[in-house]
Amino acid sequence: MHHARVFFRFWPLLGLVLALASPSAQAVQAVPSLYGAVVGGTDAQSAAQDAMREVLVRLTGIRDAVTDPALAGLITDARHYVQSQRSTTAGTTQVLFDAGALRDALAAAGRSVWGPDRPVVWVQLPPQERAEAAALRAHLNAAAQRRGLPILIAGTDAVGGAIGGDAALTAARRAGASAALTAQSAPGDPQSLQWTLTAPSGDGHWSGGPELAIDAVTDTLVQSAHELTSAPVTDLLCHVTGVSDLASFAAVVSGLRAAPEIDSVSVRSIDADSLTLQLRARGGEAELAHALASERLRATGAGSAGVLEYRYQGAP
């Protein structure tokens, strides 16, 4: 009962741990300028419309948002939604739109917003010459900014060479991301790359340049997010063993709360090194179990209906 005594001794601290493990307390890589843009020119009407075109793509996650007939009125009447607008000394115009008014307008048009808590995509690139690597990174970052996709680019030396599948997803999670995009040179065509997305909510394979890859990945993740939003809410129990101290407790709770499928997490009981949590989640039990499994949280496959069973494995 040693572990139980340790937990009960620190029980008053669990509220603090839960607060620290909440998404609002974590360092989240936010998408910049979700409701604003810097565009060329100083004409107020044209600048507002150009900025609205950029913002609609990032805000909805849909690349064709600017040609969507349902959103044409937002572009035409862009100045109606402007919160602030100013010209810069560089000959550009900074435009910031009213977030609430724009969200309401999108909802009225029957379109949805891709929420700000977007999955960070860890990108692994193949070995390249320095200039080529710098150009590729610049293209990836520009495309990701245009689509509103947070990315984290790592070098191949970070993981000891090209990887894929579960190993890529593990490396992504170690880096603080939730999805992995790996690139390899296409055989016989050094100007083209083969891209592989590995994510709990959807995988994909594409060949082409960095802009194509970012567009394809964003399309996949946006579709998954919309499907998740429409999924029914389910109450589940999650039983985790191997939770022997407050550090492992915080790691388990923060990991669960970071999953987009999880709406809420609450402690049901603690017994020695076993932790039982009450989850409110979206999606089916099988899909949720797959999404939550990670290098540290191993599914044991020993649960009954409505109960997810895991074992937590701390860092060696």
Side-chain angles (χ1 to χ4, degrees):
M1 298 295 293
H2 172 68
H3 294 308
R5 286 197 301 271
V6 170
F7 265 122
F8 289 125
R9 183 187 309 164
F10 290 102
W11 183 266
L13 296 178
L14 292 186
L16 175 60
V17 174
L18 282 168
L20 294 175
S22 67
S24 61
Q26 296 178 33
V28 178
Q29 183 175 348
V31 178
S33 304
L34 199 59
Y35 290 92
V38 178
V39 296
T42 56
D43 178 75
Q45 176 73 4
S46 297
Q49 291 178 339
D50 288 343
M52 180 64 81
R53 292 184 179 95
E54 290 189 19
V55 165
L56 287 177
V57 171
R58 287 199 301 272
L59 193 56
T60 64
I62 306 300
R63 71 171 97 173
D64 297 327
V66 295
T67 58
D68 185 345
L71 302 180
L74 274 71
I75 297 174
T76 301
D77 199 23
R79 292 204 70 190
H80 175 74
Y81 301 96
V82 170
Q83 185 176 72
S84 65
Q85 183 170 340
R86 70 180 185 88
S87 299
T88 71
T89 56
T92 61
T93 301
Q94 293 180 340
V95 183
L96 178 65
F97 295 105
D98 183 291
L102 194 49
R103 286 196 302 268
D104 290 344
L106 284 168
R111 300 296 182 263
S112 57
V113 171
W114 186 25
D117 296 327
R118 304 179 177 187
V120 179
V121 179
W122 179 84
V123 184
Q124 185 201 19
L125 302 177
Q128 291 179 308
E129 296 294 333
R130 180 172 297 181
E132 293 178 350
L136 179 56
R137 285 170 175 261
H139 283 295
L140 281 167
N141 282 319
Q145 287 288 313
R146 178 174 56 84
R147 292 299 305 273
L149 179 70
I151 64 173
L152 177 62
I153 303 177
T156 54
D157 57 341
V159 291
I163 59 175
D166 290 342
L169 191 55
T170 296
R173 284 168 168 161
R174 285 176 177 170
S178 55
L181 178 65
T182 57
Q184 293 181 316
S185 298
D189 185 5
Q191 300 304 314
S192 182
L193 293 172
Q194 294 179 333
W195 304 87
T196 300
L197 171 68
T198 307
S201 56
D203 300 335
H205 302 276
W206 307 276
S207 295
E211 292 83 4
L212 179 147
I214 292 296
D215 279 339
V217 167
T218 306
D219 291 346
T220 300
L221 295 177
V222 169
Q223 179 63 30
S224 298
H226 289 167
E227 292 174 354
L228 184 62
T229 300
S230 61
V233 177
T234 306
D235 289 313
L236 296 167
L237 291 178
C238 181
H239 183 242
V240 186
T241 60
V243 185
S244 58
D245 52 30
L246 283 174
S248 56
F249 174 90
V252 168
V253 174
S254 62
L256 293 175
R257 283 184 162 171
E261 297 83 0
I262 303 296
D263 283 353
S264 66
V265 179
S266 58
V267 178
R268 183 74 173 269
S269 64
I270 298 174
D271 181 15
D273 69 344
S274 296
L275 174 66
T276 302
L277 301 167
Q278 181 81 44
L279 309 180
R280 286 186 62 82
R282 295 186 179 272
E285 185 175 332
E287 293 80 6
L288 183 61
H290 173 71
L292 295 182
S294 66
E295 182 186 27
R296 297 283 175 244
L297 206 58
R298 301 292 181 89
T300 63
S304 58
V307 180
L308 303 176
E309 294 277 353
Y310 296 97
R311 180 165 184 80
Y312 176 77
Q313 298 185 168

